[in-house]
Structure formats: structure tokens, C-alpha cells
């Protein structure tokens, strides 16, 4: 396979930052393109100061081109996602607090998976989570509290995929005491 990547970043004097990325690739073995290898991907992230000292707001867009699945015999469509992040890191404080809303517009999409012939129905793709929110509070690199709330109100309309309930709520709260490994979510 082969490919190329182009990246651009600019930071303004007021603390705003723009990051963009585009990549093109052709991943293949000797016979065909590989599954789950999009030909094109693009990302844009804009972070700006949000009024209070230490508060940053960021919007991010991601686009993934169509991909092959099911050993190259099927294709998943391209998709675009938007994420929104707030991060509060007051000067002089050891605490960072971040809130992220991922898949902001509740876009339905699937990722290819290996075909599993042991299941009663053939599955070669897996629907991904809808909109979710995550809150993270960290004290330096020592202690992090992470809470996630995922709410999906629609059933994904994907052929050969498992049906999900009309309403799915998945709540997760994690507590971790880690030395040097925990990092607060980045708003920028």
C-alpha cells in the first residue's frame, strides 16, 4: 500500500487554534484493497477561548470515505461526524474539567468487522454509538474521574446488523488512580 498525509496548524495571539488534516491511502495486499481502509480521511478542529480565563470551546469535524467490508464484497458509505468539547483549566489549579459531546448530530454509521460464522446471522458490520457525552475531571496526572452517558433514540437501519432497542441508555462511571498515565480530555 501507499499514501500521503497533509497537515496544517495555526495558532492566533488570542489563543485560538485551527488544526486540519487530510490523508489519502491505498492499503492492499497482493490481490485487493483491504477491508476498513478508507481511501480518504479529513479532520478539522477549531478551538477558541470561551469567555472565562482557562475555558476553551472546540468544534471538530471528521470525514471518512467509503470502505470495503465483508472480505471486499460489500461497501460501507462514507460518513461525517461533529464533536463539541469544553475544557476548563484555570491558571494555578491542578484540576482540569472537560465535557465532550461526540457524534453531535447523532449520525448513524457502521464499521466493518470480521465475518463471524458462529452467529445465527452473518454479521460483517457493527453499528456505532449515537450521540454521547463524556465528562472528565483530572487532578494533574494523579487522579481522574470519568463519566459517560450515551443515549440513542433511533434504531440503526443497517442490513445484516443486530437490532438495537428503540431506546438505549448506557451509563458508565469510572474511577481511576493512575500515576503519570491519566490525561484530561483535550478541548483543542
Amino acid at each position: 500500500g501507499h499514501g500521503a498525509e497533509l497537515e496544517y496548524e495555526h495558532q492566533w495571539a488570542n489563543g485560538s487554534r485551527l488544526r486540519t488534516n487530510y490523508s489519502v491511502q491505498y492499503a492492499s495486499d497482493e490481490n485487493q484493497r483491504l477491508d476498513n481502509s478508507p481511501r480518504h480521511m479529513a479532520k478539522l478542529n477549531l478551538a477558541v477561548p470561551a469567555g472565562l480565563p482557562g475555558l476553551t470551546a472546540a468544534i471538530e469535524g471528521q470525514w471518512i470515505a467509503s470502505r470495503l467490508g465483508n472480505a471486499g464484497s460489500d461497501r460501507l458509505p462514507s460518513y461525517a461526524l461533529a464533536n463539541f468539547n469544553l475544557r476548563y483549566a484555570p491558571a494555578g489549579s491542578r484540576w482540569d474539567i472537560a465535557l465532550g459531546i461526540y457524534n453531535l448530530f447523532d449520525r448513524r454509521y457502521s464499521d466493518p468487522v470480521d465475518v463471524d460464522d458462529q452467529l445465527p446471522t452473518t454479521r460483517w458490520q457493527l453499528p456505532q454509538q449515537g450521540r454521547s457525552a463524556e465528562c472528565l475531571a483530572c487532578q494533574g496526572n494523579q487522579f481522574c474521574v470519568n463519566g459517560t452517558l450515551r443515549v440513542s433514540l433511533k434504531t440503526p437501519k443497517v442490513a445484516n446488523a443486530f437490532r438495537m432497542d428503540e431506546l438505549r441508555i448506557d451509563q458508565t462511571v469510572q474511577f481511576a488512580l493512575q500515576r503519570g498515565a491519566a490525561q484530561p480530555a483535550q478541548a483543542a
Side-chain angles (χ1 to χ4, degrees):
H2 54 275
E5 185 172 3
L6 179 64
E7 187 173 307
Y8 175 77
E9 183 170 344
H10 183 80
Q11 186 157 351
W12 288 271
N14 71 353
S16 296
R17 182 171 56 193
L18 173 70
R19 292 186 298 177
T20 62
N21 177 289
Y22 171 76
S23 62
V24 60
Q25 66 176 354
Y26 187 81
S28 64
D29 61 13
E30 297 81 35
N31 301 322
Q32 66 180 13
R33 282 184 53 199
L34 298 176
D35 280 1
N36 198 19
S37 297
R39 191 81 192 263
H40 305 274
M41 294 186 295
K43 189 182 234 185
L44 175 101
N45 181 293
L46 177 64
V48 297
L52 295 174
L55 183 64
T56 305
I59 188 79
E60 176 183 73
Q62 301 174 9
W63 175 73
I64 307 290
S66 63
R67 295 158 295 155
L68 294 176
N70 201 11
S73 63
D74 289 296
R75 181 177 294 277
L76 286 165
S78 63
Y79 65 87
L81 298 177
N83 303 317
F84 177 75
N85 293 287
L86 284 175
R87 181 172 181 233
Y88 183 58
S93 175
R94 294 181 5 188
W95 281 92
D96 284 329
I97 300 170
L99 170 67
I101 301 174
Y102 303 99
N103 195 356
L104 189 61
F105 301 110
D106 204 22
R107 172 84 163 104
R108 298 300 169 177
Y109 67 101
S110 293
D111 282 331
V113 295
D114 285 337
V115 175
D116 189 345
D117 296 326
Q118 302 301 314
L119 299 172
T121 181
T122 302
R123 176 186 71 170
W124 63 271
Q125 59 181 311
L126 185 63
Q128 298 301 300
Q129 290 286 346
R131 180 182 307 117
S132 65
E134 179 174 299
C135 184
L136 180 67
C138 288
Q139 182 182 16
N141 289 334
Q142 302 300 313
F143 180 75
C144 284
V145 178
N146 180 356
T148 303
L149 173 64
R150 289 184 181 7
V151 178
S152 295
L153 296 174
K154 302 179 211 168
T155 302
K157 296 178 181 175
V158 176
N160 297 327
F162 289 117
R163 287 203 55 179
M164 297 172 70
D165 296 330
E166 289 293 324
L167 174 64
R168 177 184 171 140
I169 298 177
D170 174 19
Q171 294 177 310
T172 306
V173 177
Q174 301 170 347
F175 296 90
L177 181 60
Q178 302 174 353
R179 297 217 182 272
Q183 294 294 323
Q186 297 297 315

